[in-house]
Amino acid sequence: MEEDKLASADFRRDTMARGKPKGRMVESTAAAEVAALLGDAPPRRDLLIEYLHHIQDRYGHISAAHVVALAREMKLAMTEVYEVATFYHHFDVVKEGEATPPALTVRVCDSLSCELAGASGLMDALKRALGDGVRVIPAPCLGRCEQAPVAVVGQNPVARASVDKVKPVVESKKTTCRVGKYIGYDEYRRDGGYRIAAECLAGRRDAEPILKTMEDSGLRGLGGAGFPAGRKWRIVRGELAPRVMAVNIDEGEPGTFKDRYYLERDPHRFLEGVVIAAWTVQIAEVYIYLRDEYAGCRAILERELKALQADPPCPLPPIHLRRGAGAYICGEESAMIESIEGKRGMPRLRPPYVAQVGLFGYPTLEHNMETLYWVRAIIEKGGDWFASQGRHGRKGLRSFSVSGRVKKPGVHLAPAGITVKELIAEYCGGMLPGHRFYAYLPGGASGGILPAGMGDIPLDFDTLNLHGCFIGSAAVIILSDKDKAAAAARNVMKFFADESCGQCTPCRVGTAKALALMEKPRWDQGLLEELSQAMADASICGLGQAAPNPIRSVIKFFPHEIK
C-alpha cells in the first residue's frame, strides 16, 4: 500500500513538471473533424474500417491526430486503430513529421495482364507528364484486366490507359467512378424478378425442394474453392441459430473480373439470390463485402439496395454493405470476416470452420457473388438444366475472365470443361495478330502456368490438379511467343510477396525469398523447391499454400527459360 502511494505521488510530480499527462493528447481540431464525420453513428468496433474510409475520403489521408481522435471516439486503444489503418493499402496513414501525400493519386495496375500491355512504361510516362503535384504509384490487380493497361485517377478508372487518356482526366479532376447502364430495380421486377423470393417468403415454396435443386445442379463455389453450394446451404442450416451470411466480392486474384462484370449489368439477380439463400438457410443478417477498387459497383449496390428496401417484394433480412480497403488476403473467407469485424484481414486457423463459428462468432454461410448470381436461374429452370451445360464430361457453366494476348478479352460464359484452345478460338476471336499461343494461366496468379501443348485439358474444378494447377475463379491469362513464363511467374510472386498478410513465417518470408531467387538469371531449383514445400505445407491459408504453383510450373514445363 505504501508503495502505491509513493508511485502515485511520483506520477503527480511528473505530470506537474511536464504540464500535461502522459500519453498522446487528442487535438481539438482533429477531434471535431472526426466527430463531424461520424455524426450519430454508433462507436462499434466492426465499423472501424468504415470510419477510416470517412477520414480518408474527406482529407485524402489519415493523420496521426485523426488516429488518436478516432481511438478516443470509439473507446479503443490507439494501437488497435493504427494497426488496422496501416494494414490496408488504401489508407494513407501519415505519421507525425511526415509530409502529406499530394491531393491526387493515380494508381497504375502492375499485375500480369496490365504488365503484358505495357504498364511499367505507362507508369514512367505518367510520372514525367503529370509532374510532382500528382502522385503516381503502382497498384495490385484492379479487377479490369480486359481493359489493360488500367490506371485509376482517384476512384475513376481509365481503360486502356495512355498518357493522352489519363492527363485530361487528371486536369479535369474527375475522380469519381462513372456508372454505366444496368438493369435497375423496376426493370428487374417487370421481368419477373423477385417472384421466387416472394413465393419463398409467402410460404408457397418449401426449403427442402430448393436445397435439393441446388444439390442436383452441381453448382460449386465460384470464388475459387469449388465447395458444392447446395451442400454448404444444408450444413449451415443444420447449425444452431442465429446464423449470418457473408458475401465475398473482394475478387483480388489477378486476372479475375467476373463479379464486377455481372454487378455492373444485373445487380438484382445477385441480390435475389441473396434473399433466396437467406430464407432457405434461415439467415438472420447479411453482410456484403465489396472490394474498394469497385467504386462504381458500390454506387450501384447502394442505390439498388435503397430501392429494394423502399419497396420490398417480400420481407427482407437486414443487408449491410461493407467496403474493403485494398487487401488481396481478404478474398480468403476468414480474413474477410475479420475485416468485416473491423480488424486486420488475417486468416483464422481452422477448425472451427466459418460454417460453425464465423462472423461475430455465429454460424456463417459464406459465398462468392457469382455463386448467388446463378440461384434464380437454377431454381427457375431446374438443377438438371445447369448440370447439362458442360463439355467433355463436365457439368455446369463457367464465367471465364480472359485477358492477355487474345483479340476479345472479357468475361465469356462457356460450358464447364471447355479447353483453353476452344475458349480462345470460339469465344476470344483467336490470338492477337502476330502472336502465337505459348502458355496460359488457367486460374489467375495462384493457378499455375501450363504450356500451349497442354491446351486440350478440360477447364474445370479438379481437372488440372494432376499437373499442379487449378482453375480457381476461372481467371485465364493467355501468353504468347513474345512472353516468358518465368517473367509471368516473377510478376505473380511479387504480387504474393506484397500481399502476404505477414501472419505466418512460411508465407511472409518464403514469398520474399522466392522472389529474390527468381530474379536471378539462373534459378536455384533445389532451394526453390525446398521453399515451395515449406510454404505449401506450413502456411495458414491458401495464399502461401498456392504461391509455389507458378515456381513449380516453370521448373516442370519451361526449364529452358531458367537455365
Side-chain angles (χ1 to χ4, degrees):
M1 181 67 72
E2 189 64 29
E3 291 177 354
D4 291 343
K5 289 180 180 178
L6 289 172
S8 179
D10 289 342
F11 172 76
R12 286 196 299 273
R13 282 195 298 272
D14 183 60
T15 300
M16 291 173 65
R18 291 185 296 107
K20 60 181 181 179
K22 289 183 177 180
R24 193 181 295 273
M25 298 291 290
V26 179
E27 294 182 8
S28 58
T29 300
E33 290 171 346
V34 169
L37 288 171
L38 268 58
D40 296 329
R44 298 201 325 255
R45 172 59 194 263
D46 64 291
L47 294 172
L48 173 58
I49 293 173
E50 296 296 310
Y51 297 157
L52 288 168
H53 274 303
H54 292 342
I55 299 171
Q56 177 74 38
D57 290 346
R58 173 63 181 82
Y59 296 102
H61 65 280
I62 300 171
S63 68
H66 284 137
V67 170
V68 176
L70 183 59
R72 188 185 72 169
E73 192 79 18
M74 299 190 69
K75 297 180 174 57
L76 294 173
M78 285 181 288
T79 53
E80 290 183 82
V81 177
Y82 181 79
E83 70 176 7
V84 171
T86 53
F87 181 85
Y88 296 93
H89 297 314
H90 292 182
F91 295 139
D92 290 313
V93 182
V94 179
K95 299 176 184 178
E96 286 186 349
E98 288 185 344
T100 59
L104 187 59
T105 295
V106 176
R107 290 180 166 86
V108 179
C109 178
D110 65 355
S111 289
L112 181 55
S113 299
C114 285
E115 185 63 30
L116 294 175
S120 59
L122 172 64
M123 195 177 315
D124 293 339
L126 285 173
K127 287 178 180 178
R128 293 192 299 269
L130 300 180
D132 296 334
V134 178
R135 181 174 58 163
V136 180
I137 59 175
C141 186
L142 298 168
R144 297 179 177 275
C145 314
E146 84 281 26
Q147 303 168 4
V150 177
V152 177
V153 180
Q155 293 184 342
N156 185 2
V158 180
R160 297 173 183 85
S162 63
V163 171
D164 291 341
K165 285 187 176 181
V166 173
K167 193 171 182 180
V169 178
V170 170
E171 292 171 345
S172 67
K173 294 184 170 56
K174 293 180 179 177
T175 59
T176 57
C177 186
R178 300 178 299 276
V179 175
K181 181 175 173 52
Y182 64 89
I183 300 172
Y185 182 58
D186 292 339
E187 183 180 355
Y188 185 77
R189 288 288 302 274
R190 287 195 301 269
D191 191 36
Y194 291 105
R195 177 183 57 82
I196 293 173
E199 290 173 355
C200 291
L201 273 294
R204 296 198 295 274
R205 286 180 179 264
D206 295 325
E208 183 57 35
I210 290 180
L211 286 168
K212 183 69 166 55
T213 299
M214 292 298 296
E215 290 170 337
D216 291 345
S217 72
L219 177 68
R220 298 173 66 170
L222 298 173
F227 193 87
R231 191 193 309 173
K232 183 183 285 191
W233 288 20
R234 196 176 290 279
I235 289 170
V236 178
R237 182 181 165 91
E239 296 291 328
L240 292 175
R243 309 172 196 91
V244 297
M245 184 192 301
V247 183
N248 197 333
I249 321 181
D250 194 65
E251 58 171 358
E253 181 76 16
T256 309
F257 47 92
K258 59 185 177 61
D259 291 355
R260 173 187 60 79
Y261 176 87
Y262 287 124
L263 280 175
E264 288 177 342
R265 288 158 177 79
D266 197 358
H268 286 281
R269 187 168 290 270
F270 152 66
L271 291 173
E272 183 170 10
V274 168
V275 175
I276 294 169
W279 174 82
T280 306
V281 185
Q282 299 180 347
I283 294 294
E285 291 191 61
V286 177
Y287 288 79
I288 299 173
Y289 188 85
L290 179 68
R291 70 179 307 201
D292 193 36
E293 290 85 349
Y294 290 174
C297 293
R298 185 168 67 252
I300 290 170
L301 283 175
E302 287 173 347
R303 183 186 306 164
E304 296 309 311
L305 278 170
K306 187 178 294 185
L308 173 63
Q309 291 161 345
D311 181 25
C314 56
L316 302 172
I319 301 175
H320 310 279
L321 180 60
R322 292 295 176 85
R323 181 177 171 185
Y328 166 71
I329 193 65
C330 290
E332 196 276 339
E333 60 180 6
S334 65
M336 173 195 66
I337 284 171
E338 289 285 299
S339 189
I340 293 173
E341 292 179 355
K343 306 171 188 173
R344 292 176 294 172
M346 289 191 166
R348 298 175 178 177
L349 289 169
R350 285 165 286 188
Y353 296 94
V354 300
Q356 303 161 313
V357 181
L359 184 58
F360 306 122
Y362 299 124
T364 302
L365 178 65
E366 189 275 342
H367 263 317
N368 166 257
M369 174 266 162
E370 195 207 345
T371 311
L372 293 163
Y373 181 89
W374 287 107
V375 168
R376 173 188 165 183
I378 288 172
I379 295 175
E380 280 181 337
K381 300 177 182 180
D384 292 341
W385 163 79
F386 188 81
S388 68
Q389 300 297 313
R391 188 181 291 188
H392 301 302
R394 310 305 296 180
K395 295 182 178 181
L397 293 166
R398 296 289 177 268
S399 300
F400 292 95
S401 303
V402 185
S403 60
R405 309 295 195 179
V406 292
K407 288 181 181 177
K408 292 171 56 180
V411 172
H412 298 292
L413 183 62
I418 192 171
T419 70
V420 71
K421 288 182 178 177
E422 292 169 338
L423 187 65
I424 293 170
E426 298 176 30
Y427 291 84
C428 301
M431 298 292 291
L432 285 171
H435 290 259
R436 181 172 54 84
F437 181 34
Y438 174 66
Y440 67 109
L441 286 75
S446 53
I449 309 174
L450 292 172
M454 299 176 68
D456 293 318
I457 302 169
L459 295 175
D460 198 14
F461 299 111
D462 311 322
T463 60
L464 300 163
N465 296 5
L466 180 66
H467 310 289
C469 299
F470 56 78
I471 191 174
S473 58
V476 181
I477 304 175
I478 305 298
L479 305 181
S480 79
D481 55 341
K482 300 185 185 303
D483 307 311
K484 295 292 185 183
R490 280 193 293 272
N491 181 283
V492 299
M493 187 56 69
K494 180 181 182 301
F495 173 82
F496 290 139
D498 291 341
E499 293 296 326
S500 174
C501 74
Q503 181 177 192
C504 64
T505 303
C507 177
R508 181 184 67 249
V509 177
T511 52
K513 180 64 174 176
L515 178 60
L517 290 169
M518 295 166 73
E519 287 173 340
K520 295 181 178 180
R522 293 175 64 89
W523 288 13
D524 186 335
Q525 297 183 32
L527 185 53
L528 278 168
E529 175 54 32
E530 188 177 343
L531 267 174
S532 296
Q533 195 63 51
M535 285 191 281
D537 289 345
S539 295
I540 289 174
C541 81
L543 192 159
Q545 293 163 10
N549 289 343
I551 298 173
R552 288 170 159 168
S553 294
V554 171
I555 292 173
K556 184 176 182 180
F557 301 117
F558 306 92
H560 57 283
E561 293 188 9
I562 56 172
K563 291 182 179 179

